[in-house]
Structure formats: structure tokens, C-alpha cells
Amino acid sequence: MTRLWNEPADFANEMVDGFVRANTKWVRKTSGGVARSTRSENPEVAVVIGGGSGHYPAFAGLVGPGLAHGAAMGNLFASPSARQVEAVIQATQQGRGVLLSYGNYAGDVMHFSTAQAAARAAGIECRSVVVTDDIFSAPPTEKAKRRGIAGDLTVFKIAGAAAAAGHDLDHVERVALLANERTRTMGVAFSGCTLPGASEPLFSVPEGRMAIGLGIHGEPGLEETDIPTANQLSELFVERLLAEAEIPDGVAPQGARVVPVLNGLGSVKNEELFVLFSRIAELLEAAGITIVDPQVGEFCTSFDMAGVSLTLFWLDDELEELWNAPASAPAFRTGSAQSGNVVAVEGDNSVVADDAIAVSTAESQAAAATIATMLSAMSTLIDENADELGRLDAVAGDGDHGIGMQRGVNAAAAAAAQAAERGAGAQSLLNRAADEWSDRAGGTSGALWGVILKSVGEYLGDTAEITADSVSAGVSAASDAVMAYGGASVGDKTLVDALVPFATSLRERVAAGDLLAAAWAEAARQATLATERTSGMMPGLGRARSHGEKSLGTPDPGAVSLSLIVTMLGTQLADA
């Protein structure tokens, strides 16, 4: 279990503060995460990595010369928000473009993609390489759906080395894509991990059993078996990874060269890893593979999870040269990365958003005050149901939905209260609430609720009269925007399964002449019924997708939280 914290909600921020103080040679704190504390004399393509906290040394520990230029750091097991990623881009970009690289998780993809679009709009050339090394999370025919786990090290290292060599963005992107294509990882776990302040782990493995195909956010494994001996586990790793590499009869082509990365996930000790690696090395050599620069230690963890993963990075001449290039970061060093001239970077040069309040009418200000009250009630509701939402999410996901919703809605309610005090109209208030929800929650739910609030705000405006028609139109726009943004459809077992019936029913009842309160109540009833139906669905998207049948019989937590919220808001509208 995790033993040391002050307030669990402050853990990630306090961790970043301590990390920066301990590593000023390499990093400085910036809005959204960390950036290098030095800069090369000649401008480079900036490599910006990131993801949720709780995986050290991923991601901040890999920031330094020859590796990443900055890391966007989300809350515990939650993706950084788009605003955080944008800030790190601004703090690191040197005029030669930016490459974003991160694991293939829905929340990360949403937030990094939004940040990429914002960077491009600001005139910064920006591209992305998503890491997809986990062989158990999707079959070879669906590689693009695979998760990114410990193999992110090889992709980040190759991209950083190419940038340090002075290559342009086209070249850095190309070799990063090639590294990802030639990287494969398999992981196992013997017990789950426990977040600061939590009394139970996010998942458990029966005594004497081992989960195969674990996720690094506390997702349970995809298969289960008796705990093997160290040699048997080594053989399992090598057999599965060589099969994935399509090596006939387990014999590699002549000249095959591989970097093995044996990664402890939190509480498996280095001594145990060395026992494993002895047999792994024997097996690889017996298969005709030349081992290059093996790495044994912690590279991508999951708090205190008892688990281990093996990554095989298949080299060619170009990749081998880049892998062996110098790098110096808090958690990864090779060669001498300070051979060129570097200059210190002071302060935080990320962009600060304009805080001006738009002009609004008295009617819109009154509506905004009502919305602020509703957001406050939503905050109370989620606080009361956070544990249950987390329990539902832990069945086939990582168990953080309740925590994420809490962080997001509490921040949104606080931002809304401040905006209302300053005389904001409905749209301005919802925009501020949306930004704070997305920023503080991170993850998929943060991104989607930010989209929902902003979409509704566009139809309410700061000066227009607020009617049942405008509310209904805003909710319909939110439904469309969430599907376009997240890529989910009805039947994928996501928040969309409740949102679409809610928006459809609200639109139909308003068009039929119902007052808003009555139309909303019926729409909330439809959302609740639709949420109940998700119990019988197989997940099509998100972290639960990999765990298939484990989610059968359990409703989608995102749909549950939405139906709870709209039902409560319906009661408030009826009482107004």
C-alpha cells in the first residue's frame, strides 16, 4: 500500500514540487508539468511527453538532454488536461516544431489532440506519436488500439536523440514511429496497487495466482494463471514476445539485435528482476538474437503494484545509433549528454490565459447564478457517490472514475461561483467551469464534461434569452460533440449510451411543447433506463475494452454519473 501522503488530493502536486527540488540540474517546474532547466545552444525540435502521475520514472524522470524536453503531468492515473499540455508545449518549443508522445489511452488521446490543435492554431508545427506496445491489449490485426506501457521509454529515447542530433520534425516523427512499430511489451502482476488515501487496491489477484496482460493504471489482467517460477515466467515472456514478432520456430533472422527492457512495476525488487533476466538472456541468445544494452530496473511503474513487464525493442542500424546516443535525465543516463553548450532557462514561459469577463445581460447573469448553484449541487452529489462510481469503474477499468469526477466537478463548481460573483453571463461561466473541470479531472471524463459544458454554453450565450429551445439545442450539440470528440457511439458502453437518449428525449419533449422541467425529467428517466441497459453491453472503447466480459453485469460508470447528475438537476428545475 501507499503509506506517505498529507492530503490525498494534493499528492500529485506535492510530488511534482519535491521532484523538481530534487532534480534542478535537469528540470524546472512549469504550468502543467516540468520542462528542462537548460536549453541547447542550437534550437531543437521539442519532444513533449506525458501522462498521469503514479508511473515514475515515466514521465518526468525522462526529461533531460538527449531525451524529452518536457513532460505534461496529470493527476494520479489521469491524463494531463489539454491546458496542461499546451503550457508545456509553450514552455519547451524552440521554433523548430514539437513532437508529442504518450500512451494510447482515451483521455490522453483527447487532451493531447486538443493541445496539438491549439498549438497549430498558434503557429507551432506540432505532431503526435502514440505509443502502442502492449501486445495483450489488442490483437496484431488491431495494433492501433493497443495501450502504451513500459515501451514508451524506447520511443521517447529515439525521438529525443533525433532531436538532439539536430534533425527536423519530419525526421524526429519518422524515427519515433519506427521505434513504436519495433517495440513490444508484455506485463504480469501478482497484486494490485493502492492510491494514496485509499483503503483497498484498485484490483486484486487471488493468492497464488498471477494476472497476465495488466494495465499500468490499475486495470486488472486479461488472463490469470498460477504463479510460475522465475524461469517459467521468463520463458512465458520470451515465447509470447517472439511469437508476436513473427519469428518462425522461435529462431530470429541472422543479425537480429534487440534491446530488452525488464521493468519492475513498483514492489518487485531488482534482485528478483536479475533472476528473471538471467534466463531471459539465455533464451534470447538461444534464439539467435544479439542483446544490446539491456535495461533492468524501474522505467514505468504503477505505485506499489507487484508486477513486472518485458519489452523487446528490435533495432536496425539507425535506431541502434539513436538508442546509444548520449542522454541525461533524472532516471535515465547514458554516455555524456552535455558535450555541447547549454544555457540555463529561468521561470515559466507558458501562456497565461486572459481572465477578462465578457459583457453580459442581467438576465444571463441571473441564469449564470442559477447554473453555479446547480454545479454546487452536482459537486455534493458526486461527493456522495464517488466511492460507488470508483467501485463500478474498478470492475473492468482502473477504479478512478469517482475520484476524477470529484476533482473535476469540485473545481468546476468553485470556478462557477467565482465567475458568478464577477458578473459572468451563462456562457462565460460555463466556459470557465468547463476549463477547470477538464484541467483538474484530466482523463476521459474530464475531457468529455468539458466538451459538454462548453457546448451547452455556446447555445445559452451571454446576452441571449435562455429558453427551453436553447437549452435543448445546447444539450443536443453536446451529445454530437462528445461523439465526435471521443469517437464513441451508442452501444460502446460509455457515457454516450446515456447522453444520446437524454438529448434525444429532451429535444422531442421540448419540440412537443413541454415545459423545460417536465421535458428534462422525462429525458433524465430515459437516461437512467439507458444506463441500466449498459450492464448487458460489452465495452467498445476506453480502458474497459480490453477486459471484455469482466464488465458484463455492471453498468458503465460514466453513464451512471451522467444519469445521476441529470436526474438531480431535473429535481432542481422542478423546484425552481
Side-chain angles (χ1 to χ4, degrees), residues 405-457:
M405 287 291 291
Q406 265 188 306
R407 287 194 298 251
V409 72
N410 290 345
Q418 293 176 359
E421 288 177 4
R422 296 178 61 191
Q427 182 175 8
S428 292
L429 180 141
L430 282 169
N431 282 345
R432 279 168 165 70
D435 286 341
E436 289 301 314
W437 193 319
S438 177
D439 197 44
R440 289 293 295 154
T444 306
S445 67
L448 297 183
W449 275 96
V451 167
I452 290 170
L453 297 188
K454 283 199 172 185
S455 297
V456 173

Side-chain angles (χ1 to χ4, degrees), residues 105 134 137 147 201-204 212-223 388-401 492-494 534-535 537-558:
Y105 298 90
D134 178 12
S137 54
R147 303 179 294 203
L202 292 174
F203 76 93
S204 60
I212 303 175
L214 67 127
I216 58 170
H217 301 91
E219 305 97 326
L222 300 166
E223 294 180 10
E388 175 61 9
L389 293 173
R391 185 193 68 77
L392 293 173
D393 192 33
V395 171
D398 57 8
D400 71 345
H401 182 68
D492 282 333
K493 194 165 187 173
T494 70
T534 65
S535 293
M537 295 179 181
M538 291 275 284
L541 286 175
R543 291 178 186 165
R545 177 187 58 79
S546 300
H547 299 85
E549 294 182 358
K550 288 187 177 182
S551 73
L552 285 175
T554 302
D556 177 70

Side-chain angles (χ1 to χ4, degrees), residues 494-508:
T494 70
L495 169 151
V496 165
D497 288 293
L499 179 57
V500 169
F502 176 74
T504 301
S505 177
L506 183 64
R507 181 175 63 249
E508 291 173 350

Side-chain angles (χ1 to χ4, degrees), residues 26-241:
W26 293 280
V27 298
R28 59 191 169 93
K29 189 173 182 179
T30 189
S31 298
V34 298
R36 288 188 196 173
S37 55
T38 61
R39 179 172 292 180
S40 300
E41 188 175 39
N42 297 317
E44 297 176 1
V45 171
V47 177
V48 173
I49 63 177
S53 297
H55 304 302
Y56 191 83
F59 297 89
L62 303 178
V63 173
L67 256 160
H69 295 75
M73 300 174 67
N75 219 308
L76 301 178
F77 291 178
S79 67
S81 69
R83 188 158 62 177
Q84 287 179 287
V85 180
E86 288 176 50
V88 178
I89 289 171
Q90 292 289 353
T92 57
Q93 68 93 13
Q94 302 171 37
R96 296 199 62 195
V98 176
L99 182 77
L100 305 176
S101 192
Y102 50 92
N104 189 28
Y105 298 90
D108 294 279
V109 172
M110 290 179 188
H111 288 290
F112 275 88
S113 297
T114 299
Q116 175 177 281
R120 289 174 173 174
I124 300 170
E125 192 175 5
C126 188
R127 301 180 196 168
S128 295
V129 172
V130 181
V131 182
T132 56
D133 61 305
D134 178 12
I135 68 169
F136 261 80
S137 54
T141 54
E142 298 181 332
K143 289 180 182 177
K145 293 182 179 180
R146 287 178 167 176
R147 303 179 294 203
I149 48 176
D152 56 11
L153 171 67
T154 66
V155 179
F156 300 164
K157 174 63 173 70
I158 295 304
H167 293 298
D168 62 16
L169 183 57
D170 286 341
H171 188 105
V172 174
E173 178 189 34
R174 179 183 64 79
V175 294
L177 287 168
L178 180 61
N180 182 61
E181 179 60 27
R182 297 174 73 98
T183 299
R184 298 289 184 272
T185 303
M186 173 185 168
V188 301
F190 311 102
S191 70
C193 57
T194 307
L195 295 180
S199 58
E200 299 291 336
L202 292 174
F203 76 93
S204 60
V205 181
E207 188 71 26
R209 302 283 283 175
M210 179 180 76
I212 303 175
L214 67 127
I216 58 170
H217 301 91
E219 305 97 326
L222 300 166
E223 294 180 10
E224 198 176 278
T225 185
D226 289 338
I227 293 179
T229 65
N231 281 351
Q232 288 170 337
L233 178 55
S234 298
E235 290 158 7
L236 175 65
F237 275 146
V238 173
E239 177 186 352
R240 294 291 185 99
L241 287 169

Side-chain angles (χ1 to χ4, degrees), residues 280-354:
I280 288 169
E282 287 180 0
L283 293 167
L284 292 176
E285 289 167 351
I289 296 167
T290 299
I291 296 173
V292 178
D293 191 27
Q295 302 292 317
V296 179
E298 290 187 346
F299 303 98
C300 184
T301 61
S302 188
F303 265 106
D304 59 331
M305 182 186 290
V308 59
S309 65
L310 176 64
T311 299
L312 295 184
F313 176 35
W314 298 82
L315 299 170
D316 62 13
D317 290 343
E318 180 180 35
L319 293 176
E320 185 166 358
E321 181 179 355
L322 291 169
W323 176 261
N324 289 326
S328 178
F332 190 92
R333 302 167 208 173
T334 182
S336 176
Q338 298 286 8
S339 56
N341 293 325
V342 296
V343 294
V345 179
E346 300 292 339
D348 181 359
N349 59 336
S350 53
V351 174
V352 177
D354 182 8

